[in-house]
């Protein structure tokens, strides 16, 4: 008996079917957030009125979400499921008709529940309420844009949240269609 015949005898349709079933079962147990969700963010210009922001904001959960802002601006909201330091990473930022994209972090004001206020996040460059992202090779540096050798690939902000605390992130892409990937962990 040659080697090909020996292999053919060992590989039976029942064994192939058993391997395929095992693979399907394994895939069924992959966590749902292992694949990126996709969200179209509702258009909303900047406001500090909590009622408006809460109503218009698009809800996101921990994990990876592909965001599309049709008008280039709007709010997303995230509710902490437990007390810990969360990291918010923006990547794959693309803007149409804009040089710069930024993501600003807010929370319900401690002083008046009617308004939102800035929320400081830690970054590699220090602390700020805003992650400055580049869509087309430019970065906003205070009062003007500075050309970059290449666009900023990713930006991460970290902040400690208590269970149930809501975070609002305002992304502004200058009015044009903007897309980004957001990973929350």
């Amino acid at each position: 008996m040659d080697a090909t015949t020996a292999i053919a005898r060992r590989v039976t349709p029942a064994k192939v079917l058993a391997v395929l079933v095992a693979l399907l079962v394994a895939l069924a147990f992959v966590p749902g957030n292992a694949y990126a969700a996709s969200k179209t963010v509702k258009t909303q210009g900047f406001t500090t009125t909590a009622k408006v922001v809460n109503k218009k904001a698009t809800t996101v959960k921990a994990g990876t979400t592909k965001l599309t802002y049709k008008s280039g601006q709007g709010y997303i909201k995230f509710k902490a499921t437990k007390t810990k330091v969360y990291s918010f990473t923006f990547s794959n930022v693309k803007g149409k008709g804009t040089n710069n994209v930024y993501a600003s972090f807010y929370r319900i004001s401690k002083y008046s529940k009617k308004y939102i206020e800035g929320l400081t996040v830690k970054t590699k460059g220090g602390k700020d309420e805003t992650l400055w992202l580049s869509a087309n090779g430019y970065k906003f540096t205070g009062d003007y844009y500075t050309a970059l050798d290449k666009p900023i690939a990713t930006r991460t902000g970290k902040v400690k949240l208590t269970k149930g605390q809501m975070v609002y992130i305002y992304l502004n892409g200058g009015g044009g269609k903007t897309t980004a990937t957001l990973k929350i962990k």
Side-chain angles (χ1 to χ4, degrees):
M1 168 168 42
D2 65 2
T4 307
T5 308
I7 291 173
R9 284 188 180 169
R10 281 187 262 154
V11 179
T12 64
K15 288 181 180 177
V16 171
L17 184 60
V19 169
L20 287 174
V21 168
L23 181 62
L24 288 173
V25 168
L27 288 175
F29 289 104
V30 172
N33 65 356
Y35 303 106
S38 198
K39 297 271 187 168
T40 299
V41 179
K42 297 173 193 164
T43 300
Q44 174 61 51
F46 180 76
T47 181
T48 58
T49 307
K51 187 176 180 179
V52 173
V53 171
N54 202 33
K55 182 179 178 182
K56 289 278 195 166
T58 301
T59 303
V60 294
K61 295 181 179 181
T64 303
T65 307
K66 292 183 181 183
L67 303 170
T68 300
Y69 293 75
K70 288 187 176 180
S71 73
Q73 57 186 346
Y75 286 91
I76 57 174
K77 60 184 173 182
F78 170 75
K79 186 175 184 178
T81 55
K82 58 185 173 181
T83 299
K84 72 174 208 163
V85 174
Y86 286 88
S87 104
F88 297 82
T89 302
F90 285 89
S91 61
N92 302 319
V93 179
K94 295 179 178 72
K96 192 170 190 173
T98 184
N99 291 330
N100 193 59
V101 177
Y102 64 86
S104 297
F105 290 75
Y106 297 92
R107 65 177 171 209
I108 297 294
S109 175
K110 294 180 202 175
Y111 309 104
S112 171
K113 303 288 184 215
K114 292 182 179 183
Y115 301 100
I116 60 171
E117 64 184 9
L119 176 64
T120 302
V121 295
K122 293 179 185 175
T123 69
K124 284 184 180 178
K127 295 180 180 180
D128 202 341
E129 295 172 2
T130 301
L131 294 179
W132 294 100
L133 310 163
S134 173
N136 298 321
Y138 290 86
K139 177 179 147 186
F140 189 70
T141 54
D143 295 323
Y144 55 91
Y145 289 99
T146 303
L148 300 172
D149 292 335
K150 60 182 179 177
I152 298 170
T154 61
R155 286 295 309 268
T156 299
K158 294 181 180 184
V159 63
K160 184 174 183 178
L161 302 175
T162 57
K163 182 178 180 177
Q165 184 176 3
M166 191 73 75
V167 172
Y168 301 93
I169 304 172
Y170 177 70
L171 193 96
N172 188 330
K177 180 181 177 182
T178 304
T179 58
T181 301
L182 171 62
K183 185 174 185 176
I184 303 172
K185 59 179 187 171

